[in-house]
Amino acid sequence: MRGTRRPRLCLAGAMAASALLAIPAARAAEPPDGHLTGLVNPFIGSQNEGNTFPGAAVPFGMVQLSPDTGHSTGYDHSQNHIRGFSLVHLSGVGCRIGGDLPVLPTTGEVTRTDYARYAAGFRHEDETASPGYYRVGLDSGIEAELTATERTGVQRYTFPATGRANVLLNAAQALHKPVTSTVEILDDRTVRTEITGHGFCRDTGPYTVYTVTRFSRPFTAYGTWDGPTVTAGSRSGHGGAYVRFDTTRDRTVEATTALSYVDAHGAEVNLRAEGGRSFRQVRDAARRAWERRLAAVRVRGGDTGLRRTFYSSLYRSFLAPNTGSDADGRYTGWDRRVHRARGFTYYQNWSLWDTYRTQCQLLALLAPREARDMAISVIKVDEDGGWLPKWGYGPVETNIMTGDPVTPFLTTAYQLGLLGGYEERAYRALRKNADGVPPAGYPGVGREANAEYIAHGFAPYVKGRPQTKTGDSDYHQGASVTLEYALSDAMLAQMARGLGHEEDAARYAARSRSYRNVFDPSTGFFRARDASGAFTGPADPARSAGFHEGTAWQYQWLVPQDVPGMVGLIGGERAADDRLDAFFAYDRLRADPARTAREVWVHGDPYAYYDAAVYNPQNEPDLIAPYTYLSTGQPWKTTDVVHAALTLFTDGPTGMTGNDDLGTMSAWHVLSSIGIFPVQPGYGTWGLSTPVFDRVDLILDRRFWPGGGLTVTAPGTSATDRYVQAVHTDAARHDRTYLTTRELRSLRSLAFTVGPRPSEWGTSPQAAPPALK
């Protein structure tokens, strides 16, 4: 997504290779032998607009302490100066956000206050990272190390022997657009800040973060700055502060910074709750937390590179959403008032247009307790602020991206059994969202084109329509918005039926077929319609108008609720297969999968979403597309396409296929590698394709998954032997190309038999995933 948008991967193999040769790669740190954290490379995706960050965090933590090199979203591996180590980053977003309180160690006099001018040089050969830990040697001779707890970032700086070792705390500069900031030196160990900024792609917000930093020993001098003016001995200011230490004998300085989105007291509460430990203790605890999280999946087979890319994607899948409540349970709601989470952790940061397709399903499998709290948190957004979110940052609606992504997010939670006790509360919020639009005084746009969609069966494309609220407009993307609304209506219909709301279920199910209203028989593709109902924009489906970050070719397959109906519009299975083969350049793919992925699918600028008639594996509208073959009687082609796309994930800075979008692309990688994929996001249908590992053991929480674990096997799976010959579930033959959540819930084993050539498995009409009625 642009919001979280996705700068896409490598342009071509040769260009990627030359980039890697030109820039020495940083190293993943090596924890003790046998630890899964040793298979994670946090630098994957840190170059060519993957927009990941290599710094320190714990799973779903409020704090992501990481270096900022001048890139708009934080870290860019192609740069060689660090402006500061700041507290907040989002993995893989495509717009400025976070970067609050960049801190940098220096020596000598403090004369510069612009972090672009006092930035420290570094070399990637002297830089390492692993889950929960980051280290770099600066050209100044200072070693910087970072680690984190849930709500604090811990820094350790080792200085040269000097009487003027400084730590600069910059409150006035960040990745986002600053509004106001204050800094106070409270005593000879403590600095407090309050930072207000705008967020995410537009000047949305503002929002405020509060920090308190406690140093391991007293500083010998201090000062603050406002603008370019530095005042020694000053205890308060609006720009930043410096504190000084004598390191002629003791060269090490440690500092713990606590963060709160509530108030200064909240930062102090978090510091008391999680501070007070040494850097080494915090680093070891962070590694243990990641080890426990990664141990939910154990893989066997594949080479080291395959395992490293897999566990690195699994790691990134657990970075967000982020804790939003303080240690005492207080959080700032979307009404800008303070609330208290009772019996759950409040989470924030909702890249829903992205995550509803892959990441929320993966978390429901592997982190169901946290996934339940995340769903409850989204319900609380509605109950506190008055409406469900679209793209939320902290307590702010940004309105980035379009459609209705919150509906399949919450219906996924319902279908996967995470909403016990909250089902009707969630349904009331979803029904309000599906049948109306937020009031004028509410900052969110919700389903902005809902009135026209409900009245006429499509969202109109109105180019240049003035916007009354900040963010993206559904009217500017009417064709894709119609498809997204229809998908959401289908998923809400299933939830309504499950809760006994039969009239609602019938109404939403009927609306879910609205995708037909934007199908143009003259072109054979979906196409935007203007306010009068006339088809509009270029007839060429590769240059169509009204599709958000894509074309009619790419959105052709976004009808997971009714693939048979969509195939019928195209002209039947043979016509659909021909179109799919052209879309995936299948003939070239069979000859050279990796080259086709890099040179045909990935083309031009990483943000080149438009003017294309081929698969874009770097962007959300196409994430389900490879699995369409499961519904057309050619499931082996799903395996061919998926395995080709998996080659785009590599063990290096350019090894991310586009923006990660808060774990979306990483979760696609993990699920597709395991061989189960949510082909109807918002419902409980899991498509099957050949795993890339001989064996995968999933350790599942029995409170949500009664089976307690699932073992997926595919002995001998490889680049040549990758076609499904047979599937068995708990030793029973399974001929369908999908599993339901009900089946998956109690399943203990899923066994694939693979071979070198396609078979008859999954080719019968009864084998395909069903349409939702």
Side-chain angles (χ1 to χ4, degrees):
M1 130 195 314
R2 181 190 338 97
T4 248
R5 198 40 25 270
R6 112 185 0 283
R8 277 52 161 100
L9 184 56
C10 30
L11 306 182
M15 293 179 66
S18 65
L20 288 172
L21 289 172
I23 304 167
R27 294 176 294 114
E30 295 293 342
D33 291 342
H35 286 81
L36 294 175
T37 49
L39 290 172
V40 174
N41 181 0
F43 292 102
I44 292 175
S46 63
Q47 187 176 334
N48 199 26
E49 305 299 340
N51 294 354
T52 58
F53 65 87
V58 296
F60 313 118
M62 181 184 290
V63 167
Q64 306 86 34
L65 185 59
S66 189
D68 296 324
T69 63
H71 189 273
S72 62
T73 62
Y75 183 91
D76 181 355
H77 194 272
S78 66
Q79 302 190 35
N80 59 7
H81 281 75
I82 292 173
R83 298 181 176 189
F85 305 102
S86 63
L87 289 172
V88 179
H89 299 82
L90 296 184
S91 181
V93 296
C95 292
R96 296 179 181 274
I97 197 63
D100 300 289
L101 194 64
V103 176
L104 191 72
T106 68
T107 58
E109 292 301 323
V110 177
T111 59
R112 296 177 176 178
T113 62
D114 179 354
Y115 67 0
R117 297 188 64 197
Y118 65 64
F122 74 104
R123 296 173 300 109
H124 292 300
E125 298 93 328
D126 200 12
E127 182 185 32
T128 59
S130 64
Y133 176 72
Y134 172 87
R135 180 213 159 271
V136 65
L138 304 177
D139 290 351
S140 59
I142 301 169
E143 179 186 62
E145 297 173 275
L146 313 176
T147 188
T149 69
E150 189 172 16
R151 299 175 180 87
T152 75
V154 184
Q155 308 143 65
R156 180 165 67 185
Y157 301 125
T158 303
F159 290 91
T162 177
R164 290 182 293 184
N166 312 305
V167 178
L168 312 184
L169 300 93
N170 193 332
Q173 293 182 285
L175 300 175
H176 60 72
K177 182 178 179 180
V179 177
T180 61
S181 60
T182 61
V183 59
E184 301 173 87
I185 297 176
L186 302 183
D187 55 40
D188 64 358
R189 290 174 181 255
T190 313
V191 180
R192 183 169 65 195
T193 71
E194 179 179 330
I195 301 167
T196 299
H198 285 298
F200 211 54
C201 292
R202 312 284 192 275
D203 288 343
T204 52
Y207 66 93
T208 301
V209 294
Y210 304 85
T211 79
V212 58
T213 301
R214 184 74 44 78
F215 287 88
S216 58
R217 56 189 172 106
F219 28 84
T220 58
Y222 56 83
T224 65
W225 67 79
D226 287 298
T229 304
V230 180
T231 305
S234 171
R235 286 187 173 271
S236 62
H238 296 286
Y242 72 88
V243 296
R244 178 166 294 162
F245 300 88
D246 184 341
T247 59
T248 54
R249 294 186 177 179
D250 183 354
R251 295 174 54 201
T252 301
V253 174
E254 295 185 6
T256 300
T257 301
L259 176 66
S260 172
Y261 287 85
V262 178
D263 52 25
H265 174 68
E268 293 169 358
V269 166
N270 293 338
L271 184 64
R272 287 196 298 269
E274 300 181 17
R277 291 178 291 170
S278 71
F279 183 92
R280 180 181 295 276
Q281 289 173 319
V282 175
R283 181 191 63 191
D284 290 347
R287 182 184 59 77
R288 289 194 298 271
W290 279 112
E291 196 67 35
R292 289 192 298 270
R293 190 64 63 180
L294 297 173
V297 184
R298 294 278 183 171
V299 303
R300 300 183 191 176
D303 60 22
T304 301
L306 191 66
R307 293 194 297 273
R308 287 184 68 85
T309 58
F310 177 85
Y311 277 105
S312 296
S313 286
L314 185 61
Y315 160 77
R316 290 189 300 271
S317 299
F318 292 133
L319 288 171
N322 306 103
T323 299
S325 50
D326 290 337
D328 61 3
R330 295 186 310 148
Y331 66 91
T332 297
W334 283 39
D335 55 0
R336 304 303 178 89
R337 297 180 179 177
V338 178
H339 302 267
R340 192 179 297 272
R342 301 183 187 279
F344 73 102
T345 297
Y346 180 81
Y347 289 93
Q348 58 191 21
N349 301 336
W350 304 107
S351 183
L352 295 172
W353 189 81
D354 309 283
T355 58
Y356 88 78
R357 307 166 200 259
T358 59
Q359 194 234 13
C360 70
Q361 292 87 352
L362 182 64
L363 296 188
L365 273 176
L366 302 181
R369 180 177 62 83
E370 291 85 354
R372 171 179 165 83
D373 285 0
M374 291 166 188
I376 293 171
S377 299
V378 168
I379 297 168
K380 293 299 293 182
V381 168
D382 172 81
E383 294 177 349
D384 295 341
W387 212 267
L388 289 168
K390 179 170 281 189
W391 209 118
Y393 179 74
V396 174
E397 174 61 83
T398 71
N399 293 319
I400 295 302
M401 305 314 295
T402 49
D404 176 21
V406 71
T407 293
F409 173 85
L410 279 179
T411 62
T412 289
Y414 167 72
Q415 296 292 348
L416 272 63
L418 303 181
L419 290 184
Y422 285 84
E423 296 96 336
E424 289 294 344
R425 291 167 68 174
Y427 181 73
R428 285 194 298 271
L430 288 169
R431 189 177 187 274
K432 178 176 63 176
N433 175 74
D435 291 343
V437 294
Y442 181 77
V445 299
R447 287 171 61 144
E448 185 183 16
N450 223 12
E452 295 90 339
Y453 172 80
I454 292 172
H456 308 299
F458 65 91
Y461 167 57
V462 187
K463 184 178 180 179
R465 184 181 190 273
Q467 295 178 242
T468 59
K469 298 179 181 181
T470 302
D472 291 314
S473 172
D474 285 0
Y475 289 104
H476 296 169
Q477 316 290 347
S480 59
V481 162
T482 300
L483 298 175
E484 300 269 11
Y485 285 5
L487 184 158
S488 294
D489 283 341
M491 304 311 162
L492 187 55
Q494 302 307 309
M495 182 177 183
R497 186 168 293 118
L499 293 174
H501 302 295
E502 292 296 340
E503 290 185 7
D504 283 354
R507 182 162 55 90
Y508 293 131
R511 275 172 30 182
S512 75
R513 294 185 284 276
S514 296
Y515 73 88
R516 296 172 175 268
N517 297 329
V518 289
F519 184 80
D520 182 356
S522 70
T523 64
F525 285 86
F526 296 124
R527 194 174 175 195
R529 299 176 68 173
D530 64 22
S532 72
F535 288 110
T536 186
D540 182 350
R543 289 168 175 78
S544 43
F547 292 90
H548 206 167
E549 296 187 358
T551 67
W553 268 101
Q554 291 153 358
Y555 274 92
Q556 178 70 72
W557 320 108
L558 193 62
V559 191
Q561 72 272 23
D562 187 16
V563 174
M566 180 266 291
V567 167
L569 290 178
I570 293 174
E573 283 190 4
R574 176 169 294 183
D577 283 329
D578 289 345
R579 187 173 293 184
L580 283 164
D581 289 351
F583 181 63
F584 291 115
Y586 187 73
D587 287 343
R588 294 185 61 176
L589 172 69
R590 286 295 309 279
D592 193 337
R595 186 170 184 177
T596 301
R598 293 183 179 276
E599 297 184 5
V600 179
W601 296 347
V602 178
H603 62 283
D605 181 87
Y607 289 101
Y609 310 124
Y610 303 105
D611 299 334
V614 294
Y615 176 47
N616 183 355
Q618 305 178 114
N619 205 18
E620 277 71 14
D622 279 358
L623 292 182
I624 306 172
Y627 294 89
T628 308
Y629 283 119
L630 299 183
S631 296
T632 65
Q634 296 185 325
W636 67 90
K637 292 183 178 179
T638 288
T639 293
D640 285 335
V641 173
V642 167
H643 282 220
L646 289 172
T647 67
L648 296 170
F649 293 85
T650 60
D651 186 17
T654 61
M656 166 60 61
T657 175
N659 299 156
D660 197 26
D661 290 335
L662 275 69
T664 299
M665 304 308 292
S666 292
W668 185 94
H669 180 205
V670 170
L671 290 164
S672 294
S673 297
I674 293 172
I676 56 174
F677 188 85
V679 294
Q680 292 178 320
Y683 192 60
T685 308
W686 303 81
L688 302 178
S689 65
T690 307
V692 300
F693 296 104
D694 289 340
R695 175 170 174 156
V696 181
D697 290 294
L698 305 178
I699 310 303
L700 306 178
D701 188 331
R702 289 185 181 275
R703 291 171 294 179
F704 300 92
W705 297 94
L710 173 64
T711 297
V712 181
T713 56
T717 182
S718 69
T720 55
D721 291 10
R722 64 172 181 260
Y723 298 111
V724 178
Q725 308 297 302
V727 173
H728 289 82
T729 54
D730 288 343
R733 185 178 179 88
H734 184 85
D735 293 324
R736 289 182 282 114
T737 61
Y738 68 96
L739 290 168
T740 66
T741 292
R742 177 175 295 181
E743 292 169 326
L744 195 61
R745 192 175 298 282
S746 59
L747 198 61
R748 299 303 303 271
S749 68
L750 174 63
F752 292 83
T753 302
V754 298
R757 288 175 296 278
S759 72
E760 293 298 312
W761 176 82
T763 59
S764 72
Q766 297 76 28
L772 302 182
K773 304 297 185 180

